[in-house]
Structure formats: structure tokens, C-alpha cells
Amino acid sequence: MQSDAGLNDRLQRLNPEGYPATKKGDLLALKIKGETKPIVVSWDGASIHVDRRQAKSPFMAWSIDAKKFREIFLSGKFPPVLVAMNNDQKNVKSGCDHHNGSLALSCMVMLQECTEGGGK
């Protein structure tokens, strides 16, 4: 994720008032049912981190069962993340800011691309 120029550009954007548009902290929490710690994507103002830990006020939270997680992220024959999220809307919670929402989705797509078929 650190090497994606488009994502880095979006992380550095300012809002119309000249302040950083990207929320510092946890952008995304992907909770897999049956596992104690979710996958958390966070932004500290300088770099993105992906960890397994409890999230603190994530911008977007998705609760997913283990079977669906394997299908989407590990099977190699996965539905696109947006399709999967639309089919699972009751388990997706998100803030209303468009910029942070699109960043959270970008991170989700990159996680999908990084893990697809790799079992990581």
C-alpha cells in the first residue's frame, strides 16, 4: 500500500479549509466472526499500517463471517469488494465523509488484491 502513488496522493489531500482531509487513526476495521482481533487499516499522518488489533473508532467497520472472508479474500475466485459489501450491507457501518469512505474502500480493494489466492 505504501508504494501506491494514487493512494498516497489522496492521503495527503487537504480539505477546502486547508486542513488534512484524511482522518488520522483507524480508517477500516474488518472483523471476522470467530476471531478475536479484526484486521485494522490505520493512518498516522505519515504512513498506512495494517494490524490485527481492536480498532479505535474506525471510519468504516465491516463484520464478516469466516467463510465469506475466505471467499472474498483468499479463494482466488472472489466477488469484487463493493459487490460483497453491497450484499452484506447490514454488517457494514461507515461515517458519512466521502473522502475517508473512498480511502477505506481503496484500502479494502488493495487488501483483496494482496491476499487473493495467497492465503496471507
Side-chain angles (χ1 to χ4, degrees):
M1 282 190 213
Q2 304 295 344
S3 62
D4 185 282
L7 183 62
N8 280 317
D9 175 63
R10 288 168 59 208
L11 287 166
Q12 303 301 328
R13 286 194 189 159
L14 301 178
N15 66 18
E17 292 79 36
Y19 297 104
T22 304
K23 169 191 168 186
K24 282 189 189 177
D26 296 338
L27 289 173
L28 169 68
L30 179 59
K31 170 81 170 141
I32 303 162
K33 291 178 185 166
E35 296 192 17
T36 56
K37 295 183 181 176
I39 297 169
V40 177
V41 178
S42 60
W43 166 247
D44 65 9
S47 60
I48 290 179
H49 305 278
V50 179
D51 304 296
R52 283 265 195 179
R53 61 176 173 76
Q54 294 304 319
K56 298 175 187 136
S57 276
F59 180 80
M60 180 177 290
W62 185 10
S63 174
I64 186 171
D65 67 43
K67 181 180 177 188
K68 187 172 278 198
F69 176 82
R70 285 191 303 274
E71 175 190 338
I72 295 167
F73 289 94
L74 304 177
S75 71
K77 299 191 315 184
F78 55 87
V81 164
L82 282 173
V83 171
M85 292 176 83
N86 282 338
N87 290 339
D88 204 19
Q89 282 185 359
K90 69 180 189 288
N91 294 321
V92 179
K93 303 209 179 345
S94 181
C96 61
D97 179 85
H98 175 74
H99 177 78
N100 288 304
S102 65
L103 280 171
L105 287 177
S106 292
C107 292
M108 187 82 75
V109 168
M110 292 177 105
L111 287 172
Q112 186 178 52
E113 290 172 349
C114 290
T115 59
E116 174 239 326
K120 297 177 185 172

